[in-house]
Amino acid sequence: MNTIQRIAKNTIFLASSNIIGFVFSFFFLVYTTRYLGTERYGLLSFAIAFASITIFLADIGISSVIVRDVARDRSKTAIYIGNSILMKVVLAAITLMSTAAIGFALGYPFSTMKIVMVILLSLIVISFSGIISSVVSAYEIMEYISIGTVIYNLIMLTFALLAISSGVDVYGFAYVYLFSSFISLGYFALVALRKLPRPRWNIDIDLWKYMIKEAIPFGLSSVFVRVYYYVDTVMISLLILNPNEVMGWYNAAYRMVIILSFIPVTFLGSIYPIMSKFYVSSDQYLGFMYERSFKYLMAIAIPIGVGTTVLGEDLVSLVYGPAFAPSAIALQILIWSEALIFINSAFGYLFNSINRQMVVAKQTMLAAGLNIILNLFLIPQYSYIGASSATVATQLFSFLFLLYFAIKEGYGLPRNMIATFIKILFACLAMVLFIRGFDHIPVPLLIVISAIIYFFLIIILRVVD
């Protein structure tokens, strides 16, 4: 199987599973928010945000090192798996103790911290699954990751429906995440037993030192990305009186946006191991893959931003109901941060594949700092709308920062980018005119037809070849 066929196979498997996972996640989001309501959903969202920031201590970027190194030399698989698991046991214990200490130091009540700790434990379990999925990714057998994604999202939805039918409170609902993570870990353990070499459990201190040293840039990127994604919810909890309802409105919109991240992750995740190999074998092919990735992600991101801006109120009403109506303005703002994330992802995977992960680490560090500063000024004045605006501004800064360093490395914007951009805008304009002219059509059907019109036009205009 040649390189193009492997990329196509892996992308198809990942895309199929992520589309199915998207459907399950969408219904999970709908049922969860409607059942919990704005205040309880806001509390659960806070727990997820707080735990998602502190979980970085349980990984520090080890998974990214595994993908890169094993993709280049599969003989390292056994020793990498064994030592990574042992390292994560130590890191998990540190994470649990640190999170509890930070939470109580900030004055959060015991009832809130119970929910945080359950969510945190589920994320730790997922981080162990990440070791196996990283090796599977390096082996370029993405179908197993695809199946795992479907299983996890299906189990999440199933447990959520069981929790709703049982009438559990928000604390009980947190166990949906924990039980689902253990089942996912069990699946990846079976994959490892069948498809991967047995782990070597002898502790290699030199390997620990190497992996930690190499992982730190990835880990820094991870922590700052997590801070960027989740610190606004934590800051809302600290800067606004009675914040649960506001956190519910904000996170209802944010979840609709973040759920779209499966698109760049699917595409770029399937080609990252190959880009890493091309760095040492063919700079020409690496540049080609980067340019196409950038162009195609932009061609997807812009119409999603335009369509969501036009249909924001209808989408919130359809998904959440009238109780979450204030989420519409946040959704119309936040969708542009996600559009920029699509494009910025092409830069990020490029730098990681050419061993320039420190560029991404610096970008995420600066972005996280900028996001915190903007939130400090905007949240007290403009509440969750201010947090939404800060998120978009931060992603715009990240785009300019990454573009600058991409140019320095010899990878600027793809050729004919202005002409491509104009063609995409023209197709978006046609899509908007259709939406405005046929707004009496049910929203789901309107979305499908407008998307077909857009993709038909970009094919005719030869944006895609």
Side-chain angles (χ1 to χ4, degrees):
M1 184 179 295
N2 63 34
T3 299
I4 297 299
Q5 290 173 328
R6 287 201 308 275
I7 293 174
K9 184 204 74 170
N10 290 332
T11 302
I12 288 170
F13 271 113
L14 287 176
S16 300
S17 66
N18 280 318
I19 289 171
I20 296 170
F22 169 80
V23 173
F24 290 148
S25 297
F26 175 77
F27 284 108
F28 174 84
L29 182 65
V30 172
Y31 289 125
T32 300
T33 50
R34 286 177 177 264
Y35 170 71
L36 294 175
T38 54
E39 292 197 14
R40 291 193 299 173
Y41 182 68
L43 180 58
L44 180 64
S45 297
F46 164 76
I48 294 171
F50 195 89
S52 295
I53 292 174
T54 60
I55 187 60
F56 85 93
L57 294 169
D59 184 29
I60 66 169
I62 293 171
S63 297
S64 296
V65 176
I66 294 173
V67 175
R68 189 189 67 191
D69 289 3
V70 174
R72 294 173 181 173
D73 184 359
R74 293 185 180 181
S75 66
K76 297 177 179 179
T77 301
I79 191 68
Y80 269 52
I81 294 177
N83 279 266
S84 297
I85 291 173
L86 294 173
M87 274 195 288
K88 287 217 175 190
V89 171
V90 177
L91 293 171
I94 295 172
T95 301
L96 287 167
M97 292 185 290
S98 300
T99 301
I102 293 170
F104 289 119
L106 290 174
Y108 291 111
F110 180 73
S111 58
T112 299
M113 289 308 299
K114 284 199 306 180
I115 303 172
V116 171
M117 297 307 288
V118 173
I119 297 295
L120 177 64
L121 186 56
S122 74
L123 295 177
I124 288 173
V125 174
I126 289 173
S127 76
F128 280 94
S129 302
I131 295 174
I132 306 304
S133 65
S134 297
V135 177
V136 169
S137 177
Y139 274 52
E140 299 175 35
I141 45 176
M142 303 300 188
E143 56 267 31
Y144 294 101
I145 297 178
S146 302
I147 295 170
T149 299
V150 172
I151 290 173
Y152 178 74
N153 285 287
L154 176 59
I155 293 299
M156 283 281 287
L157 178 59
T158 302
F159 281 148
L161 293 175
L162 289 173
I164 291 170
S165 64
S166 302
V168 302
D169 59 12
V170 65
Y171 175 69
F173 208 92
Y175 281 93
V176 169
Y177 293 83
L178 183 59
F179 295 153
S180 301
S181 66
F182 272 112
I183 292 176
S184 177
L185 178 60
Y187 163 77
F188 278 106
L190 290 174
V191 171
L193 288 172
R194 293 189 60 186
K195 295 295 179 180
L196 302 177
R198 295 294 184 268
R200 287 171 54 188
W201 297 109
N202 52 312
I203 297 176
D204 187 334
I205 298 299
D206 289 334
L207 179 60
W208 282 41
K209 292 177 181 178
Y210 165 78
M211 292 185 72
I212 291 173
K213 177 183 176 182
E214 290 296 308
I216 285 175
F218 293 110
L220 288 174
S221 298
S222 175
V223 65
F224 290 123
V225 165
R226 291 177 183 276
V227 169
Y228 166 73
Y229 274 122
Y230 296 107
V231 74
D232 38 16
T233 298
V234 176
M235 293 181 73
I236 288 173
S237 75
L238 295 171
L239 297 175
I240 294 180
L241 294 175
N242 303 314
N244 285 353
E245 188 173 47
V246 175
M247 288 191 295
W249 292 334
Y250 179 73
N251 280 278
Y254 211 172
R255 294 286 82 76
M256 288 182 70
V257 167
I258 293 300
I259 204 172
L260 297 171
S261 295
F262 82 88
I263 298 173
V265 169
T266 297
F267 178 62
L268 293 171
S270 67
I271 67 173
Y272 173 51
I274 299 170
M275 290 177 72
S276 296
K277 288 192 289 187
F278 276 156
Y279 172 60
V280 296
S281 63
S282 176
D283 185 67
Q284 178 184 355
Y285 285 133
L286 175 60
F288 173 82
M289 294 177 72
Y290 155 71
E291 287 193 2
R292 289 304 171 94
S293 299
F294 187 100
K295 183 174 73 169
Y296 291 158
L297 287 172
M298 184 179 71
I300 297 172
I302 293 177
I304 289 176
V306 171
T308 304
T309 302
V310 175
L311 293 171
E313 294 181 1
D314 296 320
L315 290 171
V316 168
S317 177
L318 176 68
V319 174
Y320 300 125
F324 285 86
S327 298
I329 181 65
L331 176 63
Q332 290 167 319
I333 297 171
L334 286 169
I335 192 61
W336 291 105
S337 72
E338 186 64 23
L340 287 166
I341 286 172
F342 274 48
I343 298 170
N344 292 343
S345 296
F347 291 126
Y349 277 81
L350 169 70
F351 288 126
N352 288 341
S353 68
I354 65 173
N355 292 0
R356 291 298 308 275
Q357 56 266 31
M358 276 305 300
V359 173
V360 182
K362 291 176 183 178
Q363 171 260 317
T364 51
M365 177 183 67
L366 293 172
L370 176 62
N371 189 247
I372 291 172
I373 293 171
L374 291 173
N375 278 320
L376 282 172
F377 285 99
L378 295 176
I379 288 176
Q381 187 73 23
Y382 302 104
S383 187
Y384 67 104
I385 297 176
S388 304
S389 302
T391 301
V392 176
T394 304
Q395 278 300 329
L396 180 59
F397 161 79
S398 297
F399 169 76
L400 296 174
F401 182 92
L402 292 170
L403 175 61
Y404 171 76
F405 280 96
I407 293 172
K408 286 188 66 175
E409 293 291 333
Y411 303 96
L413 292 174
R415 291 166 291 181
N416 303 319
M417 179 51 58
I418 294 177
T420 300
F421 183 69
I422 292 173
K423 292 176 182 178
I424 291 172
L425 289 183
F426 175 80
C428 286
L429 176 61
M431 182 182 70
V432 170
L433 291 175
F434 173 80
I435 292 172
R436 292 302 191 192
F438 295 88
D439 56 2
H440 57 281
I441 296 176
V443 173
L445 181 60
L446 190 63
I447 292 172
V448 171
I449 297 175
S450 60
I452 292 172
I453 291 172
Y454 170 79
F455 283 109
F456 175 77
L457 286 173
I458 65 170
I459 291 172
I460 294 298
L461 296 171
R462 297 189 178 182
V463 174
V464 178
D465 59 32

